[in-house]
Amino acid sequence: MRRRFHKTLLITSFLVLIGIWLKPDKDTEILYIGAIPDQNPEKLNRLYNLVSEELSNNLEVNTKYIPVTNYAAAVSAFRNGSLDLVWFGGLTGVQARIQKPGSFALAQREIDSRFTSVFIASRKSKIPVLRKLEDLNVLKNKRFTFGSESSTSGRLMPQYFLKKAGVSLSDFSGGRPGFSGSHDATIVLVQSGSYQAGVLNEQVWNDNIDNGRVNQDKVTVIWRTPTYADYHWLIQPNLDKRFGSGFTNRVRNQLLTFNKENESQKMILDLFGAKKFIPTSNEQYLSIEKIGREIGKIK
C-alpha cells in the first residue's frame, strides 16, 4: 500500500509540474508595441520607449518597444504577431487589419478624426499659393515628392486629391514622383530644392516649424487638403487570452486616461502633438480602405 501511495503521489506531482510548465504565465509574457517610422528615429525611440514604460507600470505587464525599418515592416510584424499594439497611419492600419482578422482600431488622438496634409513648395520654384483643389494641376511637370509609399497623409490622400484635380503620377517631371520615405525628409528635400514641391502630414510640418527646423524663406505651404481620418492604435485580437480576461479593455482605458496633469503622460502627449487619446473604430477608416483599393494600395 505504501509503495502504491508513493507511486501515485509521484505521478500526481509530475502531472502538476507539467501543468504549471504548460500554463501561460502573464508575468513572463511581453506586450510588444511598435509604430510606423514616419519621423526621425531619435524622436520615435524616445516617444515609444516612454509609452512602453508607462504601459508597463500601469498595466503591470512587461512592455517592450520594437522599432521597424519601414511602413511595410510594421504591417508584416503585426500580421505575423511580432507586434501586439501598433501606432499606424490610416492606410497601414487598414492593411494590417485586413491581414489580421479580428484586430481592431483602439484609440486615436483628438486631431486624427479630422487630419490634414499640406502641399509645400520651394520658394525658388515660384509655385503660387493655390486657392482650390483644381489648382493642383500647376504641379504637372514639376519635380514632386511624396513621403513613404504607404503613408496616408504623405501619399494616399494627397494622390487622391491630385487625381481629383486631373493630375496623375506620370504627369510629374521625369514621368514619376519621388518618395522621400518620411515627412521630415520631404521637408528637407523641398527646402533644399532637390524637389520643387512635396506633401506631408500637417502636424509634422507644424512641429518642425515650432522647433526651428524649417526655413520659411526657402519653403512654404501652397495648399491644405480637406480633412480625413488618419493615425490610430491597432491591437491584436488574442491579448485577452494571453494576458487575462479584460486585458484589451484595460489597454484602451489606459490610453484614454492619459492626461497632461501626469508628468510622464504629458511628455508622451506632447511628443504625439496631442491633448488626449479618444476612442475610434474600424468603421471610421472605411473611406481610407475604399481609396486604398482605388489607387491599388489595398488588394
Side-chain angles (χ1 to χ4, degrees):
M1 289 291 291
R2 182 175 296 177
R3 184 177 300 171
R4 183 180 298 173
F5 173 77
H6 286 160
K7 183 178 181 180
T8 302
L9 182 61
L10 181 61
I11 293 172
T12 303
S13 299
F14 177 73
L15 291 174
V16 169
L17 288 172
I18 288 292
I20 292 172
W21 179 64
L22 291 175
K23 182 181 178 181
D25 182 355
K26 72 181 184 67
D27 293 331
T28 64
E29 286 277 9
I30 299 175
L31 180 71
Y32 292 103
I33 69 170
I36 53 172
D38 60 340
Q39 299 180 64
N40 72 75
E42 182 181 349
K43 177 177 180 179
L44 296 179
N45 283 326
R46 182 185 177 201
L47 169 57
Y48 293 105
N49 279 311
L50 284 171
V51 174
S52 177
E53 183 177 348
E54 190 69 16
L55 292 179
S56 290
N57 291 338
N58 291 291
L59 296 173
E60 298 181 343
V61 167
N62 190 8
T63 307
K64 186 175 182 180
Y65 166 57
I66 305 294
V68 296
T69 55
N70 54 50
Y71 284 45
V75 174
S76 295
F78 190 83
R79 182 187 66 241
N80 65 33
S82 300
L83 292 175
D84 301 311
L85 177 68
V86 180
W87 182 247
F88 279 120
L91 174 60
T92 46
V94 170
Q95 290 171 329
R97 179 163 49 81
I98 289 172
Q99 294 177 36
K100 192 73 173 193
S103 59
F104 58 94
L106 197 66
Q108 62 182 188
R109 300 169 299 184
E110 83 285 354
I111 61 175
D112 289 311
S113 61
R114 296 181 58 80
F115 211 74
T116 52
S117 300
V118 288
F119 283 75
I120 61 173
S122 156
R123 295 278 190 183
K124 289 183 178 180
S125 71
K126 306 296 184 183
I127 299 173
V129 172
L130 311 180
R131 302 300 178 186
K132 56 187 184 298
L133 184 148
E134 291 74 19
D135 293 341
L136 286 171
N137 59 26
V138 75
L139 296 174
K140 288 183 177 181
N141 300 313
K142 298 294 192 294
R143 298 190 310 279
F144 182 87
T145 184
F146 292 108
S148 165
E149 292 191 44
S150 296
S151 171
T152 306
S153 53
R155 192 271 174 86
L156 179 78
M157 295 308 297
Q159 183 176 337
Y160 169 73
F161 292 121
L162 284 163
K163 183 179 179 181
K164 290 186 71 173
V167 182
S168 65
L169 300 189
S170 60
D171 288 330
F172 295 118
S173 177
R176 60 183 181 180
F179 289 96
S180 71
S182 75
H183 303 296
D184 292 323
T186 296
I187 296 173
V188 171
L189 290 171
V190 175
Q191 184 167 279
S192 71
S194 297
Y195 286 90
Q196 292 167 293
V199 64
L200 71 148
N201 168 332
E202 183 170 16
Q203 190 251 344
V204 173
W205 168 259
N206 291 335
D207 182 61
N208 274 267
I209 288 178
D210 292 343
N211 287 284
R213 292 190 292 266
V214 176
N215 185 338
Q216 296 185 74
D217 291 330
K218 293 184 176 182
V219 61
T220 188
V221 171
I222 57 171
W223 193 67
R224 179 175 288 100
T225 70
T227 61
Y228 52 87
D230 199 354
Y231 291 86
H232 57 282
W233 287 106
L234 190 72
I235 196 163
Q236 292 279 1
N238 65 337
L239 299 192
D240 281 13
K241 183 176 180 180
R242 285 175 50 198
F243 294 99
S245 178
F247 182 77
T248 299
N249 282 331
R250 289 177 59 208
V251 175
R252 176 196 278 116
N253 291 338
Q254 183 58 49
L255 292 170
L256 297 182
T257 55
F258 275 18
N259 66 84
K260 294 200 172 186
E261 293 181 6
N262 178 295
E263 185 176 347
S264 59
Q265 293 175 6
K266 180 182 185 304
M267 196 177 304
I268 290 169
L269 290 170
D270 286 346
L271 287 168
F272 267 110
K275 295 178 181 178
K276 61 181 179 179
F277 288 110
I278 61 175
T280 188
S281 66
N282 294 351
E283 288 69 30
Q284 193 168 9
Y285 299 92
L286 291 176
S287 61
I288 296 292
E289 180 177 348
K290 180 181 177 182
I291 294 168
R293 293 187 188 280
E294 285 179 7
I295 71 169
K297 293 302 294 180
I298 299 175
K299 304 299 184 184

